[in-house]
Coordinates of all heavy atoms in Angstrom, one line a residue:
A243 N 114.0 -86.3 132.7 CA 114.0 -85.0 132.2 C 113.2 -84.9 130.9 O 112.4 -84.0 130.6 CB 115.4 -84.5 132.0
S244 N 113.4 -85.9 130.1 CA 112.7 -86.0 128.8 C 111.2 -86.1 129.0 O 110.4 -85.5 128.3 CB 113.2 -87.2 128.0 OG 112.5 -87.3 126.8
A245 N 110.8 -86.9 130.0 CA 109.4 -87.0 130.3 C 108.8 -85.7 130.7 O 107.7 -85.4 130.3 CB 109.2 -88.1 131.5
V246 N 109.5 -84.9 131.6 CA 108.9 -83.6 132.0 C 108.9 -82.7 130.8 O 107.9 -81.9 130.6 CB 109.8 -83.0 133.1 CG1 109.3 -81.6 133.4 CG2 109.7 -83.9 134.4
A247 N 110.0 -82.7 130.0 CA 110.1 -81.8 128.9 C 109.0 -82.0 127.8 O 108.5 -81.1 127.2 CB 111.4 -81.9 128.2
T248 N 108.5 -83.2 127.7 CA 107.5 -83.5 126.8 C 106.1 -83.6 127.4 O 105.1 -84.2 126.9 CB 107.7 -84.9 126.1 OG1 108.0 -85.9 127.0 CG2 109.0 -84.8 125.2
S249 N 106.0 -83.1 128.7 CA 104.8 -82.9 129.4 C 104.1 -84.3 129.8 O 102.9 -84.4 129.7 CB 103.8 -82.1 128.6 OG 104.3 -80.8 128.3
V250 N 104.9 -85.3 130.1 CA 104.4 -86.5 130.5 C 104.9 -87.0 131.8 O 106.0 -86.6 132.2 CB 104.7 -87.7 129.5 CG1 104.0 -87.3 128.1 CG2 106.2 -87.9 129.3
E251 N 104.2 -87.7 132.5 CA 104.6 -88.2 133.8 C 105.7 -89.3 133.6 O 105.5 -90.2 132.8 CB 103.4 -88.8 134.5 CG 103.7 -89.5 135.9 CD 102.5 -90.1 136.5 OE1 101.3 -89.7 136.1 OE2 102.6 -90.9 137.4
P252 N 106.8 -89.2 134.3 CA 107.9 -90.2 134.1 C 107.6 -91.6 134.6 O 107.2 -91.8 135.8 CB 109.1 -89.6 134.9 CG 108.4 -88.8 135.9 CD 107.2 -88.2 135.3
N253 N 107.7 -92.6 133.8 CA 107.5 -94.0 134.2 C 108.8 -94.6 134.4 O 109.8 -94.3 133.8 CB 106.7 -94.8 133.0 CG 105.3 -94.5 133.1 OD1 104.7 -94.0 134.0 ND2 104.6 -94.8 131.9
A254 N 108.8 -95.6 135.3 CA 110.1 -96.3 135.7 C 110.6 -97.1 134.5 O 111.9 -97.2 134.3 CB 109.9 -97.2 136.9
D255 N 109.7 -97.6 133.6 CA 110.2 -98.4 132.5 C 110.5 -97.6 131.3 O 110.9 -98.2 130.2 CB 109.2 -99.5 132.2 CG 107.9 -98.9 131.7 OD1 107.8 -97.7 131.6 OD2 107.0 -99.7 131.4
G256 N 110.4 -96.3 131.4 CA 110.7 -95.5 130.2 C 109.6 -95.3 129.2 O 109.8 -94.6 128.2
S257 N 108.5 -96.0 129.4 CA 107.4 -95.9 128.4 C 106.7 -94.6 128.5 O 106.8 -93.9 129.6 CB 106.4 -97.0 128.6 OG 105.8 -96.9 129.9
K258 N 106.0 -94.1 127.5 CA 105.3 -92.8 127.5 C 103.9 -93.0 128.0 O 103.1 -93.7 127.3 CB 105.3 -92.3 126.1 CG 104.7 -90.9 126.0 CD 104.8 -90.3 124.6 CE 104.2 -88.9 124.5 NZ 104.3 -88.3 123.2
P259 N 103.5 -92.4 129.1 CA 102.2 -92.5 129.6 C 101.3 -91.4 129.1 O 101.6 -90.8 128.1 CB 102.4 -92.3 131.1 CG 103.5 -91.3 131.2 CD 104.4 -91.7 130.0
E260 N 100.1 -91.3 129.7 CA 99.2 -90.3 129.2 C 99.7 -88.9 129.5 O 100.6 -88.7 130.3 CB 97.8 -90.4 129.9 CG 97.2 -91.8 129.6 CD 95.8 -91.9 130.4 OE1 95.5 -90.9 131.1 OE2 95.2 -92.9 130.2
E261 N 99.2 -87.9 128.7 CA 99.7 -86.6 128.8 C 99.4 -86.0 130.2 O 98.4 -86.3 130.8 CB 99.0 -85.7 127.7 CG 99.4 -86.1 126.3 CD 100.8 -85.8 126.0 OE1 101.4 -84.8 126.4 OE2 101.4 -86.7 125.3
A262 N 100.3 -85.1 130.6 CA 100.2 -84.5 131.9 C 100.6 -83.0 131.8 O 101.3 -82.6 130.8 CB 101.0 -85.1 133.0
P263 N 100.2 -82.1 132.7 CA 100.6 -80.7 132.6 C 102.1 -80.6 132.6 O 102.8 -81.4 133.2 CB 100.0 -80.1 133.9 CG 98.9 -81.0 134.2 CD 99.4 -82.4 133.9
T264 N 102.6 -79.5 132.1 CA 104.1 -79.3 132.0 C 104.5 -78.8 133.4 O 103.8 -78.3 134.2 CB 104.5 -78.2 131.0 OG1 103.9 -77.0 131.4 CG2 103.9 -78.6 129.6
A265 N 105.8 -79.0 133.7 CA 106.4 -78.6 135.0 C 106.3 -77.1 135.2 O 106.2 -76.6 136.3 CB 107.9 -79.0 135.1
Q266 N 106.3 -76.3 134.0 CA 106.2 -74.9 134.1 C 104.8 -74.4 134.5 O 104.6 -73.3 135.0 CB 106.7 -74.3 132.8 CG 108.2 -74.4 132.6 CD 108.6 -75.8 132.2 OE1 107.8 -76.5 131.6 NE2 109.8 -76.1 132.5
T267 N 103.8 -75.2 134.1 CA 102.4 -74.7 134.3 C 101.6 -75.5 135.3 O 100.6 -75.0 135.8 CB 101.6 -74.8 132.9 OG1 101.6 -76.2 132.5 CG2 102.3 -74.0 131.8
M268 N 102.1 -76.6 135.8 CA 101.3 -77.4 136.7 C 101.3 -76.7 138.1 O 102.2 -76.0 138.5 CB 101.9 -78.8 136.8 CG 103.3 -78.9 137.5 SD 103.9 -80.6 137.7 CE 104.2 -81.1 136.0
S269 N 100.2 -77.0 138.8 CA 100.1 -76.5 140.1 C 100.8 -77.4 141.1 O 101.2 -78.5 140.8 CB 98.6 -76.4 140.5 OG 98.0 -77.8 140.6
K270 N 100.9 -76.9 142.3 CA 101.6 -77.7 143.3 C 100.9 -79.0 143.6 O 101.5 -80.1 143.7 CB 101.7 -76.9 144.7 CG 102.4 -77.7 145.8 CD 102.5 -76.8 147.0 CE 103.3 -77.6 148.1 NZ 103.4 -76.7 149.3

Side-chain angles (χ1 to χ4, degrees):
S244 178
V246 173
T248 54
S249 303
V250 297
E251 179 182 339
N253 282 342
D255 63 1
S257 63
K258 184 176 180 179
E260 296 180 0
E261 295 295 320
T264 66
Q266 289 73 30
T267 62
M268 68 177 68
S269 65
K270 182 176 181 179

